[in-house]
């Protein structure tokens, strides 16, 4: 009686089987369902969504301040002093996070404070000198076009913003989408500032815009990675502040914004956790082989 050698899944060995042969049950036994799937839990998703909530709240705070500057119910000098205080507070938190991260990782972190201070002075001087130009930038453009352009730019800013976290020590380079998002927000701020009536108000609004859409996202990403409790407190503060500033201007918009905040923060993570049970990714012999290199 002749015995047939068992089939092996190799190409270098000559076997007494057809080229397209496969044993019964071998194909089904090699199928894998969701091999790399890691289920999400609700509260960590809520914490991750706080970055989106903070970003939306920051935009509504900025728009509320713009409306108050436009109808002269807010003194531009008050906004300048408040922006300066927020900058100093944020810088203090940045330094604390930097010091803590440096001690825990024992890494060599270069943080040139003199260069940072010099760049801050240059930016302030540049904004002061460009304020008269920015005020008359869209003098020949109708306000309806300005509102539509600003809304589109802020929408682009929301869609392209970087909502991830980063370590103060090992910071990754800025992604292209983050740069485009920041440019869209600053451009929207510039076109809105051109609707203001005096140079000081333009300078105050652009200064607040630079802090809100350029410096604050950097601090937010570090808080998300290093200080989760402070991140939660900041989310609550910004949400309440945005609602308090928006409600006197329009109750309808305030209610809609509250609905958006609650949906983004609590409802969308719940939907994502619920939808995990429908995930059905099947891996099998048809997948491209991934070499394992030591």
């Amino acid at each position: 009686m002749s015995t047939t050698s068992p089939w092996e899944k190799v190409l270098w060995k000559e076997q007494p089987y057809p080229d397209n042969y496969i044993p019964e049950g071998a194909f089904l036994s090699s199928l894998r369902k969701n091999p790399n799937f890691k289920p999400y839990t609700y509260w960590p998703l809520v914490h991750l969504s706080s970055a989106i909530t903070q970003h939306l709240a920051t935009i509504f705070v900025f728009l509320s301040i713009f409306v108050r500057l436009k109808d002269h119910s807010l003194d531009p000098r008050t906004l300048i002093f408040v922006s300066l205080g927020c900058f100093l507070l944020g810088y203090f938190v940045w330094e604390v996070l930097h010091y803590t991260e440096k001690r825990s990782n024992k890494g060599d972190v270069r943080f040139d404070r003199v260069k940072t201070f010099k760049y801050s002075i240059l930016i302030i001087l540049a904004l002061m000198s460009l304020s008269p130009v920015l005020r008359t930038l869209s003098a020949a453009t109708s306000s309806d076009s300005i509102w539509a352009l600003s809304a589109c730019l802020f929408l682009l800013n929301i869609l392209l913003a970087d909502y991830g976290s980063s370590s103060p020590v090992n910071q990754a380079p800025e992604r292209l989408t983050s740069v485009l998002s920041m440019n869209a927000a600053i451009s929207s701020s510039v076109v809105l500032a051109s609707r203001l009536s005096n140079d000081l108000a333009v300078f105050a609004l652009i200064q607040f815009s630079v802090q809100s859409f350029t410096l604050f996202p950097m601090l937010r990403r570090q808080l998300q990675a290093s200080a989760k409790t402070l991140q939660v407190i900041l989310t609550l503060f910004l949400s309440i502040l945005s609602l308090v500033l928006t409600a006197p201007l329009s109750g309808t918009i305030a209610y809609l914004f509250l609905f958006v905040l609650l949906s983004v923060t609590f409802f969308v993570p719940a939907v994502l956790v619920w939808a995990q049970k429908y995930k059905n990714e099947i891996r099998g012999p048809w997948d491209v082989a991934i070499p394992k290199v030591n």
Side-chain angles (χ1 to χ4, degrees), residues 5 7 20 25 46 57-58 67 70 91 109 122 147 173 180 190 195 201 222 227 237-238 243 250 260 280:
S5 60
W7 177 83
N20 60 350
V46 171
T58 303
V67 173
K70 191 174 184 301
Y91 183 78
V109 182
L122 291 177
W147 310 146
L180 293 176
V190 169
R195 299 285 97 177
Q222 294 187 4
F237 173 75
L238 287 176
L243 291 173
S250 175
V260 171
N280 188 18

Side-chain angles (χ1 to χ4, degrees), residues 84-242:
L84 180 60
C86 293
F87 173 77
L88 295 176
L89 178 61
Y91 183 78
F92 172 76
V93 174
W94 176 287
E95 285 288 337
V96 171
L97 292 176
H98 168 263
Y99 178 75
T100 304
E101 193 76 13
K102 183 178 179 181
R103 289 190 58 185
S104 60
N105 290 278
K106 300 184 184 301
D108 183 15
V109 182
R110 298 184 59 186
F111 193 79
D112 195 344
R113 297 173 178 83
V114 177
K115 184 182 295 186
T116 303
F117 180 76
K118 181 179 67 175
Y119 286 160
S120 301
I121 296 298
L122 291 177
I123 291 175
I124 292 176
L125 294 177
L127 291 178
M128 292 180 63
S129 60
L130 291 176
S131 294
V133 179
L134 298 178
R135 183 176 57 84
T136 58
L137 183 63
S138 61
T141 307
S142 64
S143 296
D144 293 339
S145 301
I146 294 296
W147 310 146
L149 177 60
S150 177
C152 293
L153 289 174
F154 272 128
L155 181 61
L156 184 65
N157 167 257
I158 294 173
L159 295 177
L160 299 181
D162 184 9
Y163 300 109
S165 60
S166 63
S167 171
V169 174
N170 302 317
Q171 285 193 7
E174 289 287 341
R175 296 186 296 181
L176 178 60
T177 54
S178 301
V179 177
L180 293 176
S181 174
M182 180 190 66
N183 290 335
I186 297 299
S187 300
S188 180
S189 305
V190 169
V191 297
L192 288 178
S194 64
R195 299 285 97 177
L196 299 178
S197 58
N198 60 80
D199 298 342
L200 186 61
V202 172
F203 169 74
L205 186 67
I206 297 299
Q207 180 192 25
F208 183 73
S209 171
V210 171
Q211 293 184 3
S212 300
F213 303 116
T214 303
L215 301 179
F216 177 68
M218 299 168 58
L219 179 62
R220 181 188 68 210
R221 289 193 292 269
Q222 294 187 4
L223 289 175
Q224 191 173 357
S226 306
K228 295 184 178 181
T229 304
L230 191 57
Q231 172 83 348
V232 173
I233 296 175
L234 183 60
T235 303
L236 292 174
F237 173 75
L238 287 176
S239 301
I240 295 174
L241 178 63
S242 59

Side-chain angles (χ1 to χ4, degrees), residues 60-72 74 79 146-147 150 189 191-196 205 208 249:
F60 270 80
V61 169
F62 175 82
L63 294 176
S64 301
I65 289 176
F66 163 73
V67 173
R68 286 172 168 81
L69 287 175
K70 191 174 184 301
D71 60 14
H72 305 286
L74 175 63
L79 179 59
I146 294 296
W147 310 146
S150 177
S189 305
V191 297
L192 288 178
S194 64
R195 299 285 97 177
L196 299 178
L205 186 67
F208 183 73
L249 301 177

